[in-house]
Each structure stands twice: as structure tokens, then as C-alpha cells.
């Protein structure tokens, strides 16, 4: 019943399947009654979290879980530098962008200073990544006069009416727009020996041609440069170049969706697109921007915004409010002060290397890949055929949770472990993840052969 | 150049028109360079606000302004009950709806308890009112199988791609969707003696018929029950009944957009639609919900959400986060503890009566109307023809700002003063508004006849 819509929720709670205890059951029933049928909980045994600190989440019974999934709180839960700024600002002034205020200007200056090699000149603020991608599409339509959109086949860009129409990971029951074309994600593991730049360029060109054949002018190619929902595919640096040139030749814009790869996560640069040497027309920002405070936005060139500025104003009541801007400014300062991009590179390498070592003992690990503190582990039923092992992936995710490590899964086959810890993860914590994964894979394999009961 | 898009910004800053001083000019130029061409500032002389308390905003020079416009901070700026909850929660846990948490459930229970006479059963959370109306439209499309939308002719419902297409107040340069039909707002002042229930019902029926004639199935009628952007038109209680019955008969939903009239503003009930004795299928919430913290959402019936829940999940990273829920819960508790609905009724009456008294001395005041602490003052060039006086309205808004009172204007003719103070406004502060308005109207009239220079 839910399978088609839950591409990224391989590990969602399913009512009645697992014995989660009387008090949790009661809380879930109360929640279902109040929030209705569209909400999901993670894990066969959902968590009742009451506190967070650093990489840890603590549940109502005092049990500690290492959170290697939530990239919103990328400085760690309740980072004091951000909490203090929010508290200070919320007691001083919480208001909107119709008045002059310093913090929004300082935030814009610092963000734009991260992309000096581009002509990205302006910051516009929203509250969510969905709103940022929605606004990017409005701007692209006005700039290009087109409406066609090209995305990868399991992409996720958000949940507004317009953006859900180009977010195939929401599943087939959410209608994709007739102006949307899907292309395969550029995955070296399933296309070994192929020149990814050439292949991806050809796919974009074919999508452009198909749009044009249907009388639809291309407005934009939008990609998350880590292809997070498609299975975490950093790929070789530079392979986006041909595709970006192709969409620009066709009069469309290139939008880099940095909601997931941005703010230092790749351990290389501030933004994921920078490893490809491409210049986006618009860069959209979100999740970790305020370490939990709702703030998102976009960077755009003056050229791209000109038409939008002439035809429309933009006022979003909460976007760019003084409190959210103070939080975002504290996040940027903390990334710099704590050297978190370098740290993400170092600890990311420890994590990646450790999981690659596990591959020797665990035949289920088909591929391990990542950039900085974003690691994907593709689990397969057979290394030769590379068949996705969704069942095993769900077992591993739930067994990791039993061991106190929180992660999830993604990709079309629901078979890629998605490891996305806060940037402050220590090497010791990375080692904990590796040890727990070793054990979870051993147990899951034993469950398959009947030596252990499966987790439900 | 901006006139078509700035229907609600009669008082926007226009570069180069007024001498705002060197330091403000420099700050505006820095802002334009950083934020680009789509942002606007209020007033000929924009404000550089640094602090807020109660109904007051304080600028960088220490000057105090009485804020009778910003309905977001409806408990007053920096209300300690909300700030304390935000500070406490942001230092404890800031996370999302994929885990169980008590606060979101308590918030949902309290919100749903405000509408016991309806079958509204579920709360869904978003970050902005735009997202709430966007989600309402997605739900309405899935429930009805239709896409047609009926709104009033100067309505504003938000800025996502879908919602901007049914927000005519954004101006003619933002394309309305071909599936959108505009109907006249129900205004007794411009349709004296007319039965508003009958007229509005007929207009909705005509719009439904026109949609059907074009092969478009109606999905929803969405109204802000105070018709805020149309000129603040509370009208006689009950006049929405026929229109609601008409849209339901045609298989569409009735959506009450409570982003502006909600949370006690009318001084009668918690929600604006309650005065009309109608039952919405969906109620959308926003602005004052977190007294500045970004939180919005919707209440919906189980029947309406069923299809959406079967076809889609809903996860919005920041929506329903623990901090925003704590803020919203504090807002509800404060409205109750401080008796703000009653207070809004009482002080709203003082304000309304005081302005009605001014009508005797100021021929420009064509009409004064309101509900609770939402008052509209329609300024006309001639009481017989009721011709809108946009120039005078702009003069009054800017002269009020000179006197230290912040308000704005709305309506198709840009000629209705929009007075929307925090619910905690005192009777003394209401008297200040009346006195300042008296003076501003006198000065504006003198500027028209050349006895005074116009404000630029």
C-alpha cells in the first residue's frame, strides 16, 4: 500500500508489524489521530526523542543514539553558538525584511563571498528548501520563457505543488508534471567503464530534444550534485560539465540544489557543485543553513533575477527574519571557526575507509562511495548481477537502530545506506559506526539464512 | 514601472524620490546590491529597526514607533512567554516529525479543540502560510479530481508557484493560472443595499459555471474571511453561507484562509470563518501562529485527507520541529491566559469608534469598518462617487510614520488604510492612533490644496 510512495522510507514504521510496547503504541495512535494519514515515523521501533547534544539524541528512557542521519543539525544538536544567537535575537527583535536590518546584509555578504569565482550576486531568502526550489523554478520560467524541467529519476527537490511535480522520489502516485523529463542518475557502479560526463551529457541532450519535440521550451536542469536520493553518487570531479553546457545551449538554466551537499558536507568546498568546475545560474540552499532554525534560500546571478525583479516583488513573511538570519550567520561563523570542512574531509575518510575494509568480509556490500561526511553503502543480493537487496538494507537500518546508531536508506532500489552525520562527528564516533555496521551486516546475513530472527 | 505589481505596497520606498540621509541611502544601496531587485522596503523613509517590545519598534537612533501593522507578532514584539519557550527548547532539542515528540501532539490537541463544532480532525504543519495554502491546493486536487480555483479579485494567498497563480494582488505581471477565476470581493460600501450573501453566492456560481464551460472541474473556493487584501471587508455575519454551499454542491472544497483573520484577531472567535456559521473542509493557518517563529499549517477533515494520505506522504523538514511547536503552544496559552480575544474586541471597538468619529471632520473618510483589531479606513476623493484616493492614502501612511505610527494600505484602489496592531494594544495606544490619524488626515488635506508640502 505504501510502497510506491515511500521510496526513501524503507525503514518506516508500519502499524501492527512490530511490538513496540504499550506506551509507544498509545503515543503513535494519538499521533495518527491528530496528524492524520500523511505522516511517517522512522524505524520499525519509532523513537521518542526528548534531548539532543552534539551527535547524540537521547530518548525518553535516557537511552543515547548516535545520530548519523540528520544533516539539518550539521554542527551537532543544540550547538551553543547557534542557540545563544537565537535566544539573544528572539529577545531583541523578530521581524521581517520590509525594514532595514544589519544581520541579513552580513549574512548575504558572507554567503556570496563563498562563491567568488561565479557571477552569483544576490541572496534571496525563503523558509524551506522546497520554497527555495519553487522560487528557483518561478525565476527560471520568467527568465527563459520556458517551463521544461530535467531531473534525475529518483531525485527529491521538495513538496510544494510545483516542486513535487519534479520530485520523482515521492513515488508514482504523486503525478509528475508533463513538462518534466527524468534522466538516469550518473552512477559509475551500474555503468562501469562508461564516461559519465559523456553519458550524462547525452541523457540531458536527449531530454532537451524530447521536451522540444513536445513543444516545451526547457527552463532548467536541476541537480543535487551528490545525487543524494538517487543513491549518493559523488562520481568523478568534473562530470557535470557537459550537461551544464547542454542546458545553457538550449536556453535553460542550471540550478545546483545544495540543500543536501551544501555547507561543507563534502569536505572539499562549501558547495557540492564546486568540485565540478561548473557555474550555476542559481544555487538553492536549505537544511543545515540554520542548524535547525527554519531558513533556506538561493543565490542567483543579476542576469537571471532581472526579469523576475521587473515582473514581481518577493515578500515571504518569515523568510529573512532577524532570528533566522542570526542563526544562519552563527552557522557560517562556526563552520569557519571550528574548521568543519577540513574536519568533514578527515573524518569522512576514516568512515569511508573503514566501511571499504568491511567489504572484504561482507559480500552484501556491493559499493561504498562518498564525499566528506556523506557516505553511501550499496547492498546487493549478488555482486555479479548487482541486484538491490532491499530486505537486507531494512534489516541493517533497524539493527543499527537497535545498537543505538541512527541512519537510513535511499536509491531507486531502496538498498543504499545513507550515512550523513553532523560535521562535528569525531573519529571515535566514526569507528563506532563502522563496528556497529560490521555487526548489523553479520546479524542481517544470519537472519537471511534463518540463524537469527529478522527484525520486525 | 512597479505600479502593477505593488498593489499592497502603496507606501513602498522608491529609490531617489525622498531624501533619506546619507547613512540610510548607503544601507539601502548595500541591501539592493546584496538582495537584488525583488525586495521592497516600507515607507518613503525606510526604517532601520533594531529592537521590539510590546507594540513598539525602536530604530537605530532610539526612536520609538507604535507598530499597528505587523500581525505576526500579535502578542507583542518579543513576548517573554514565547521567547522563553524558544530559548528553552532550542537548547534542549530541535528536530523533526520523524520521531515521536509530545509538544506537537499537545499543540494539535489544543488547535483542534478550537473547532469542536466542525469535523476538522487533523493538523498538518508547514513553515509558511504560502506552504499551507499550497498544500491545501494539493489536497483539494487529489480529493476532488479537479483543479479549478475561485478567489476574490484582489486576494493574496502566498508566493509559491501554485499559490502566486491564485494571488491576484501580486499584480497583472504575475500570470494568473488559466484554471483560476476571480470574483468581486463582497463589499457593502460599493454595493449598498445589496444582499451580500445573494450577490456573493451568484458570483461563485457564475465562476463555477465558467470553469465547467472550459472543461475545468472546480477544486476549491478559498477566502480570507476578512478579505484583507481586498480592503478589509468583515461584512455582515453569515454572508459566506450561500457561496460555501455552492462550491460544495459543485464537488469543490471550501478553504478558509485564516492566515490573517485567525488566532483571535476578530475579537469574536479564534477564527474568522466562525462568525459566518460555515464549516470549512480545510482551514489554513500562518502569520501569528508562532509570534514570529516560522510556523504555519492547516486543519483538515479526515474525509479530505484520505486520498492524499493514500497517494502521498508529507514530510517538511522544518515544519513541526520541536522549537516552532513550543513557540506555537506558548502563543495559544498566552492568548487564553491574557484573555486576548476579549481584549481585541474591547480595544478594537475603541479604535473603530474613534475613527468613525473622525469621519465627521474628515470628508476623505468614506468608510470605516473592522472586526476586533483589524480595521480598514477607506479614503475617497468624493463621498458621492466613492472614487479611491490613492495619493491621499499614501500621504496619510507616510505622515503617520513621521508621527511614529506604523500602518499600511490595501485594496484594489490602494486606498484603504490597513490597521492591524498586536492583540495586546492598550486603549491608550488606540487613542494615540486616532489622534495621529486625525492630524495626518488634516495635513494630507492641506498638502493637496498646497498649504503644506506633500511627503516624499
Amino acid at each position: 500500500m505504501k510502497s510506491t510512495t515511500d521510496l526513501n522510507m524503507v525503514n518506516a514504521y508500519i502499524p501492527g508489524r512490530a511490538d513496540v510496547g504499550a506506551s509507544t503504541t498509545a503515543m503513535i495512535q494519538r499521533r495518527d489521530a491528530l496528524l492524520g494519514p500523511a505522516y511517517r515515523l522512522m524505524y520499525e521501533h519509532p523513537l521518542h526523542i526528548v534531548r539532543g547534544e552534539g551527535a547524540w539524541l537521547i530518548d525518553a528512557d535516557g537511552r543515547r543514539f548516535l545520530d548519523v542521519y540528520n544533516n539539518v543539525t550539521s554542527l551537532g544538536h543544540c550547538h551553543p553558538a547557534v542557540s545563544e544567537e537565537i535566544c539573544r535575537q528572539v529577545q531583541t527583535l523578530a521581524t521581517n525584511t520590509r525594514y532595514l536590518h544589519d544581520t541579513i546584509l552580513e549574512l548575504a555578504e558572507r554567503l556570496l563571498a563563498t562563491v567568488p569565482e561565479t557571477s552569483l550576486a544576490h541572496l534571496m531568502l525563503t523558509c524551506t528548501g522546497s520554497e527555495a526550489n519553487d522560487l528557483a523554478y518561478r525565476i527560471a520560467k520568467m527568465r527563459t520563457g520556458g517551463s521544461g524541467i530535467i531531473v534525475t529519476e529518483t531525485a527529491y527537490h521538495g513538496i510544494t505543488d510545483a516542486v513535487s511535480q519534479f520530485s520523482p522520489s515521492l513515488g508514482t502516485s504523486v503525478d509528475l508534471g508533463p513538462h518534466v523529463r527524468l534522466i538516469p542518475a550518473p552512477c559509475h557502479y551500474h555503468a562501469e567503464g562508461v564516461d559519465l560526463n559523456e553519458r550524462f551529457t547525452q541523457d540531458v541532450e536527449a531530454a532537451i530534444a524530447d521536451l522540444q519535440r513536445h513543444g516545451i521550451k526547457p527552463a532548467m536542469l536541476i541537480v543535487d550534485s551528490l545525487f543524494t536520493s538517487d543513491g549518493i553518487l559523488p562520481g568523478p570531479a568534473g562530470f557535470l560539465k557537459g550537461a551544464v553546457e547542454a542546458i545553457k545551449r538550449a536556453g535553460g538554466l542550471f540550478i545546483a540544489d545544495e540543500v543536501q551537499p551544501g555547507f561543507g558536507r563534502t569536505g572539499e568546498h562549501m558547495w557540492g557543485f564546486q568540485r565540478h568546475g561548473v557555474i550555476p545560474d542559481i544555487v538553492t540552499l536549505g537544511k543545515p543553513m540554520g542548524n535547525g532554525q527554519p531558513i533556506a534560500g538561493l543565490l542567483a546571478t543579476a542576469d537571471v533575477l532581472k526579469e523576475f525583479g521587473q515582473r514581481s516583488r518577493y515578500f515571504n513573511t518569515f523568510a529573512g527574519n532577524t532570528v533566522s538570519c542570526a542563526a544562519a550567520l552563527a552557522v557560517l561563523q562556526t563552520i569557519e571557526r571550528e574548521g568543519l570542512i577540513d574536519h568533514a574531509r578527515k573524518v569522512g575518510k576514516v568512515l569511508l575507509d573503514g566501511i571499504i575494509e568491511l567489504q572484504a568480509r561482507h559480500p552484501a556490500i556491493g559499493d561504498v562511495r562518498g564525499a566528506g561526511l556523506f557516505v553511501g553503502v550499496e547492498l546487493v543480493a549478488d555482486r555479479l548481477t548487482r541486484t538491490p537487496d532491499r530486505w537486507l538494507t531494512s534489516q541493517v537500518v533497524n539493527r543499527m537502530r537497535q545498537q543505538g546508531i541512527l541512519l537510513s536508506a535511499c536509491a531507486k532500489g531502496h538498498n543504499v545506506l545513507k550515512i550523513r552525520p553532523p560535521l562535528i562527528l569525531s573519529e571515535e564516533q566514526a569507528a563506532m559506526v563502522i563496528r556497529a555496521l560490521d555487526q548489523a551486516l553479520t546479524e542481517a546475513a544470519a537472519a537471511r539464512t534463518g540463524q537469527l530472527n529478522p527484525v520486525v
Side-chain angles (χ1 to χ4, degrees), chain A:
Chain A
M1 150 198 150
K2 287 175 192 160
S3 61
T4 54
T5 61
D6 278 346
L7 288 185
N8 286 313
M9 291 292 277
V10 56
N11 58 336
Y13 166 76
I14 296 171
R17 184 155 133 181
D19 177 9
V20 298
S23 78
T24 302
T25 301
M27 199 167 176
I28 292 170
Q29 284 169 350
R30 184 175 161 222
R31 178 181 145 111
D32 285 348
L34 291 165
L35 306 185
Y39 282 81
R40 300 287 181 275
L41 287 163
M42 287 182 77
Y43 308 113
E44 306 279 4
H45 293 246
L47 293 159
H48 177 189
I49 300 293
V50 297
R51 197 157 63 79
E53 53 181 25
W56 297 97
L57 285 172
I58 296 103
D59 78 4
D61 298 323
R63 185 167 177 207
R64 295 165 71 85
F65 293 86
L66 189 67
D67 180 6
V68 297
Y69 184 63
N70 187 346
N71 65 333
V72 169
T73 47
S74 78
L75 310 184
H77 291 280
C78 305
H79 193 293
V82 181
S83 308
E84 280 162 23
E85 273 304 287
I86 289 174
C87 289
R88 185 190 57 73
Q89 188 62 53
V90 86
Q91 291 170 344
T92 310
L93 179 69
T95 195
N96 63 54
T97 56
R98 281 178 174 156
Y99 306 119
L100 293 164
H101 197 267
D102 286 310
T103 313
I104 191 172
L105 303 183
E106 194 177 342
L107 174 64
E109 270 163 5
R110 280 192 176 246
L111 276 170
L112 291 164
T114 64
V115 286
E117 75 277 21
T118 69
S119 52
L120 294 160
H122 302 305
L123 169 71
M124 292 182 73
L125 289 164
T126 63
C127 289
T128 67
S130 292
E131 282 189 338
N133 285 331
D134 191 287
L135 177 59
Y137 182 50
R138 288 187 67 200
I139 293 168
K141 283 197 294 183
M142 289 200 194
R143 176 66 182 81
T144 64
S147 65
I149 305 170
I150 303 167
V151 291
T152 52
E153 63 188 356
T154 318
Y156 176 74
H157 295 291
I159 40 75
T160 65
D161 185 48
V163 180
S164 64
Q165 291 183 42
F166 58 90
S167 289
S169 86
L170 290 171
T172 51
S173 61
V174 176
D175 300 328
L176 288 176
H179 56 296
V180 175
R181 292 298 176 276
L182 307 187
I183 56 174
C187 176
H188 71 92
Y189 180 61
H190 291 280
E192 222 167 4
V194 165
D195 181 326
L196 280 190
N197 185 16
E198 204 176 295
R199 166 74 65 89
F200 199 60
T201 306
Q202 283 166 359
D203 289 337
V204 169
E205 283 170 343
I208 291 168
D210 192 59
L211 283 169
Q212 289 168 338
R213 194 170 63 78
H214 288 82
I216 300 165
K217 198 173 169 194
M220 67 190 203
L221 164 70
I222 177 167
V223 302
D224 156 355
S225 58
L226 283 181
F227 299 90
T228 308
S229 297
D230 286 293
I232 307 158
L233 309 167
F239 80 80
L240 283 180
K241 275 193 171 166
V244 172
E245 284 162 16
I247 190 70
K248 293 198 180 189
R249 257 197 318 274
L253 307 187
F254 171 58
I255 318 287
D257 179 342
E258 292 285 342
V259 171
Q260 301 227 37
F263 290 95
R265 180 147 295 274
T266 62
E268 297 166 342
H269 306 276
M270 185 63 93
W271 313 110
F273 75 82
Q274 290 175 302
R275 65 199 302 265
H276 290 289
V278 294
I279 308 284
D281 297 292
I282 298 176
V283 176
T284 57
L285 317 173
K287 293 194 194 291
M289 191 167 178
N291 208 50
Q293 178 70 9
I295 181 167
L298 59 80
L299 306 176
T301 66
D303 172 62
V304 156
L305 277 188
K306 199 175 155 195
E307 186 78 19
F308 186 87
Q310 277 168 358
R311 289 181 59 187
S312 186
R313 68 178 193 271
Y314 188 78
F315 179 68
N316 179 325
T317 303
F318 300 136
N321 78 73
T322 50
V323 178
S324 295
C325 286
L329 191 55
V331 167
L332 284 179
Q333 288 165 337
T334 304
I335 290 173
E336 193 175 320
R337 190 179 58 245
E338 298 188 1
L340 290 181
I341 300 182
D342 264 6
H343 181 83
R345 196 187 66 250
K346 275 185 230 155
V347 181
K349 188 168 169 14
V350 170
L351 189 60
L352 193 74
D353 289 350
I355 299 174
I356 288 171
E357 273 183 42
L358 296 183
Q359 218 173 350
R361 297 201 285 296
H362 295 286
I365 302 182
D367 193 38
V368 186
R369 58 211 176 218
L373 278 169
F374 212 142
V375 174
V377 184
E378 181 151 356
L379 301 182
V380 293
D382 177 332
R383 282 199 185 170
L384 276 176
T385 59
R386 303 183 179 188
T387 315
D389 198 334
R390 180 178 179 164
W391 184 88
L392 195 85
T393 309
S394 172
Q395 287 290 309
V396 169
V397 168
N398 281 292
R399 284 175 191 279
M400 293 290 279
R401 178 239 178 271
Q402 284 183 339
Q403 292 185 64
I405 311 264
L406 306 181
L407 48 70
S408 190
C410 63
K412 197 176 174 184
H414 312 255
N415 67 318
V416 178
L417 296 174
K418 188 171 172 183
I419 309 179
R420 195 179 53 176
L423 302 186
I424 47 103
L425 196 81
S426 69
E427 293 196 14
E428 293 69 29
Q429 289 167 334
M432 286 177 61
V433 175
I434 296 161
R435 280 196 306 274
L437 184 57
D438 192 2
Q439 185 181 331
L441 283 162
T442 303
E443 288 174 4
R448 162 143 293 150
T449 58
Q451 294 163 277
L452 267 178
N453 288 327
V455 184
V456 287

